[in-house]
């Protein structure tokens, strides 16, 4: 939120766009909040997905460097023998979550319901199982969804904002990595698990990487879920406050320079 306030104060983009574009939450939810606050939803989408891509590459590099091995290099049986009960439980839970999200028109429920219900039912002994081939296909769909969200028009329209977008994402990644390092030392968590737990990427991307590395997966899932829920709960009131405070300030230290550069284009 501090980065968002600074970007709005400098006149690099509207306060609402900066707040929701830099918030480390669900891209879809942040776009909805931005549009409701009068921000540029397309620029917010670009900022959100650019952050996810940068986080994914940074996390892959960190994971590879700490484990000294290629991620997911072990051979995998794509069609193992599965328990019919476990497979049925997975289909019912996943299908029910999708139907619930369609009925309520809250797309994020398709992700949250399986996570929360799976945690509770799994602890109760329900044997969930998913064929690795279906898991890989789901990851591919996630990748296609993110990649196909970019269009030539949106990239051209936001070309001049790319340095700010990339710079903000890098600062956010660095700040979260520092928090992870501190938490790891305080609570004796291995560095890679602490990094993945505090990384500002999407839950799905972090779990994809964590599933292929020797880390504390329950810790990472819990931390990422808490971050996601906190962003949904507190980003809107905090973001609205930042937008109001930024609009009260008529000009920031670099606003005149920014306006001059914008006019010169």
């Amino acid at each position: 939120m501090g980065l968002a306030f600074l970007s709005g104060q400098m006149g690099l983009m509207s306060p609402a766009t900066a707040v929701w574009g830099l918030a480390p939450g669900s891209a879809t939810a942040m776009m909805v909040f931005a549009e409701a606050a009068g921000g540029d939803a397309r620029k917010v989408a670009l900022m959100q997905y650019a952050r996810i891509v940068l986080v994914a590459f940074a996390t892959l590099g960190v994971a590879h460097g700490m484990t000294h091995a290629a991620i997911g290099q072990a051979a995998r049986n794509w069609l193992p023998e599965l328990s019919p009960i476990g497979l049925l439980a997975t289909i019912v839970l996943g299908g029910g979550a999708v139907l619930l999200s369609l009925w309520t028109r809250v797309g994020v429920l398709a992700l949250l319901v399986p996570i929360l219900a799976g945690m509770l039912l799994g602890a109760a002994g329900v044997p969930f199982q998913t064929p690795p081939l279906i898991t890989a296909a789901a990851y591919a769909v996630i990748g296609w969804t993110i990649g196909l969200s970019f269009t030539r028009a949106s990239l051209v329209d936001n070309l001049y904002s790319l340095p700010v977008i990339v710079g903000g994402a890098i600062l956010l990644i660095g700040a979260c990595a520092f928090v992870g390092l501190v938490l790891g030392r305080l609570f004796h968590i291995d560095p890679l698990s602490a990094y993945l737990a505090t990384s500002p990427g999407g839950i799905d991307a972090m779990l994809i990487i964590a599933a292929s590395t020797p880390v504390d997966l329950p810790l990472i899932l819990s931390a990422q879920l808490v971050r996601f829920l906190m962003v949904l709960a507190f980003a809107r009131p905090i973001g609205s406050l930042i937008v109001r405070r930024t609009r009260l300030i008529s000009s920031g230290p670099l606003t005149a320079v920014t306006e001059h550069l914008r006019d010169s284009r």
Side-chain angles (χ1 to χ4, degrees), residues 83-219:
S83 166
I85 297 178
L87 183 58
L88 179 61
T90 302
I91 293 174
V92 170
L93 179 58
V98 171
L99 292 176
L100 180 62
S101 68
L102 292 175
W103 179 60
T104 60
R105 297 184 179 180
V106 181
V108 73
L109 290 179
L111 176 65
L112 287 181
V113 170
I115 290 176
L116 295 175
M119 290 170 57
L120 297 175
L121 296 176
V126 178
F128 290 102
Q129 287 185 306
T130 303
L133 188 61
I134 295 180
T135 303
Y139 292 161
V141 171
I142 293 171
W144 290 333
T145 301
I146 295 174
L148 293 176
S149 297
F150 291 96
T151 64
R152 182 177 181 180
S154 64
L155 290 176
V156 170
D157 290 341
N158 295 285
L159 179 63
Y160 295 104
S161 300
L162 283 178
V164 178
I165 293 172
V166 173
I170 292 175
L171 288 175
L172 183 61
I173 293 171
C176 291
F178 176 75
V179 172
L181 177 63
V182 172
L183 292 178
R185 290 186 175 274
L186 288 176
F187 298 101
H188 306 290
I189 305 171
D190 69 275
L192 184 55
S193 294
Y195 176 83
L196 291 174
T198 57
S199 181
I203 297 177
D204 43 15
M206 293 304 98
L207 294 183
I208 291 171
I209 297 171
S212 304
T213 53
V215 292
D216 189 344
L217 188 57
L219 170 68

Side-chain angles (χ1 to χ4, degrees), residues 1 4-5 14-23 30 48 235 238-240 242-243:
M1 289 300 176
F5 178 78
S14 70
T17 301
V19 167
W20 304 120
L22 290 171
M30 298 304 103
Q48 288 288 332
I238 295 176
S240 300
I242 291 177
V243 170

